[in-house]
Amino acid sequence: MLKAICVSNWQLIFLKRGSAIARIVGKNVQKSNRFDPTVKMWVFEEIINGRKLSEIINQEHENVKYLPGYKMPKNVVAVPDVAEAVRGTDILVFVLPHQFIGRVCEQMAGHIKPGAFGISLIKGIDEGPEGLKLISDLIREKLKIEISVLMGANIAKEVADEKFCETTIGCKNEKQGQIFKELLQTPNFRITVVPDTDTVEICGALKNIVAVGAGFCDGLSFGDNTKAAVIRLGLMEMVAFAQIFCKGSVSISTFLESCGVADLITTCYGGRNRKVAEAFARTGKSIEELEKEMLNGQKLQGPQTSAEVYKILKEKNMLDKFPLFTTIYKICYEGESIQNFISCLQNHPQHI
């Protein structure tokens, strides 16, 4: 059966900051006769110390800006033109900040090979006419391809260091799920495939909001007990949000996968959203200032996702049902005192 569906070699493309995942795929395709050995990685062209980033990657096999110190397999080739990168490609792996995905898809449209399909590692949500629009929905609409999602407790540096971790793929197509598992799994990067794709994706977006709250706890020196409460209350709001806005049925067991509670814990203790939120609480600087100082020009996903969630909840007159999400947004963007964060926790309903 497997040989029947892998008659031809398959080519792949990575979009922007997927260097840690590209390292895995580059090694895996070399061991398989299912895939074309060349992995194309679209790179937003930048000048680093007078040299083009794509040239540095292709000559020195290292993404010196986004994953310095880690060598890329030589079969991973950086391509600065996105239309050229996708041409002839069978499988697309999307790894870039969610605010750029619409524009990038527009550049890709018309260059996609018929029958191509993809997987998104993008953590974020967007607004739609019915309230919520998932990033996978946006890609699906603009490119007319099947799209799955990968979310989990996968901090890029630890993945690159080949430290053991788990992740979750949400995929409704069983054959494609097995292809993605062969493409991405290693002994230290264990994958579980589940069909509950919307819940997997929502977990990946909403946990970043909760991580901002965890960072506030650290910045205000509230301690681990308080942070544990933030994680629990945040998980409650994640489940409630998914149950309201997911198009299909929501499986509570999905929240026990890596995409759910594991990713939530990891991000609340080790992620960028927690780190920057802690600095926000300690320094009083704006999120925009801290992004420039601490993230090398990258955008933080938690505050932006809180803004999108706030708009959706306000439109549906549901702000009072999600006090943690709402308070985090107001602190980040509306000038509400961060000292009010503890009041949110004290008055949060024990059940939603």
Side-chain angles (χ1 to χ4, degrees):
M1 179 67 70
L2 282 174
K3 290 183 179 178
I5 65 169
C6 43
V7 173
S8 61
N9 289 336
W10 296 25
Q11 295 179 331
L12 303 102
I13 173 181
F14 278 79
L15 297 183
K16 207 170 182 184
R17 296 171 186 153
S19 298
I21 295 295
R23 293 177 80 241
I24 290 175
V25 173
K27 294 175 182 178
N28 280 352
V29 299
Q30 292 175 325
K31 304 172 186 176
S32 172
N33 61 3
R34 184 194 293 267
F35 307 104
D36 186 293
T38 299
V39 178
K40 293 185 286 184
M41 180 173 69
W42 174 58
V43 174
F44 182 79
E45 193 70 279
E46 302 173 69
I47 302 300
I48 309 294
N49 296 325
R51 299 174 62 191
K52 293 180 178 180
L53 180 57
S54 62
E55 292 180 357
I56 296 173
I57 293 172
N58 290 335
Q59 293 172 9
E60 300 179 13
H61 309 292
E62 181 182 347
N63 189 334
V64 295
K65 179 164 186 179
Y66 296 113
L67 197 66
Y70 297 88
K71 289 296 182 180
M72 308 283 289
K74 293 182 179 180
N75 61 321
V76 175
V77 178
V79 181
D81 184 287
V82 68
E84 176 60 30
V86 301
R87 192 169 289 115
T89 297
D90 297 285
I91 305 175
L92 298 95
V93 181
F94 294 86
V95 194
L96 70 163
H98 78 275
Q99 62 266 29
F100 301 127
I101 189 62
R103 184 166 70 243
V104 171
C105 282
E106 289 171 1
Q107 296 172 13
M108 294 167 59
H111 303 282
I112 302 296
K113 181 179 178 179
F117 57 94
I119 187 166
S120 170
L121 282 66
I122 301 170
K123 297 182 177 181
I125 58 175
D126 206 347
E127 296 176 83
E130 299 179 3
L132 175 70
K133 175 173 280 191
L134 299 174
I135 300 302
S136 61
D137 289 333
L138 191 153
I139 297 171
R140 197 174 289 115
E141 289 176 8
K142 289 186 176 292
L143 299 182
K144 313 301 180 188
I145 63 172
E146 286 191 67
I147 189 79
S148 300
V149 296
L150 183 152
M151 305 285 159
N154 314 137
I155 293 175
K157 187 178 184 304
E158 294 186 16
V159 173
D161 283 333
E162 299 184 2
K163 295 179 179 179
F164 178 81
C165 63
E166 298 177 310
T167 198
T168 310
I169 289 178
C171 181
K172 296 178 181 178
N173 185 311
E174 186 175 348
K175 290 183 179 179
Q176 290 181 10
Q178 291 307 307
I179 289 169
F180 289 132
K181 191 168 184 176
E182 180 180 342
L183 186 67
L184 295 164
Q185 184 164 262
T186 74
N188 287 319
F189 191 67
R190 186 168 66 182
I191 291 171
T192 300
V193 181
V194 301
D196 190 6
T197 57
D198 288 358
T199 304
V200 171
E201 187 167 3
I202 282 178
C203 283
L206 298 185
K207 57 92 182 181
N208 284 328
I209 305 177
V210 185
V212 173
F216 291 167
C217 284
D218 292 338
L220 296 168
S221 301
F222 284 162
D224 285 340
N225 290 340
T226 307
K227 186 188 286 190
V230 170
I231 293 172
R232 187 187 76 84
L233 297 172
L235 182 59
M236 284 172 49
E237 293 196 10
M238 289 168 60
V239 172
F241 190 93
Q243 289 174 330
I244 293 170
F245 291 102
C246 278
K247 295 185 289 292
S249 61
V250 172
S251 174
I252 295 300
S253 64
T254 302
F255 289 92
L256 301 179
E257 298 288 349
S258 180
C259 64
V261 65
D263 198 8
L264 180 61
I265 293 169
T266 296
T267 309
C268 286
Y269 278 90
R272 293 180 302 169
N273 290 280
R274 186 220 62 78
K275 182 179 179 181
V276 174
E278 179 184 1
F280 177 90
R282 293 192 187 280
T283 67
K285 295 181 179 179
S286 70
I287 294 294
E288 292 76 12
E289 288 177 294
L290 293 169
E291 285 174 336
K292 292 177 183 178
E293 291 179 13
M294 301 175 67
L295 299 182
N296 196 23
Q298 299 179 64
K299 287 291 183 181
L300 205 62
Q301 298 304 302
Q304 291 194 11
T305 303
S306 77
E308 287 147 2
V309 165
Y310 183 86
K311 292 176 186 176
I312 293 168
L313 295 175
K314 186 176 182 180
E315 179 69 25
K316 298 293 184 180
N317 197 28
M318 291 183 176
L319 290 174
D320 61 328
K321 295 183 181 297
F322 296 86
L324 184 67
F325 290 170
T326 299
T327 300
I328 289 170
Y329 162 77
K330 288 183 175 180
I331 291 172
C332 288
Y333 291 112
E334 292 192 351
E336 181 166 324
S337 172
I338 196 167
Q339 302 301 325
N340 292 344
F341 186 64
I342 191 66
S343 299
C344 164
L345 303 180
Q346 292 167 337
N347 299 315
H348 197 291
Q350 291 186 330
H351 303 284
I352 297 179

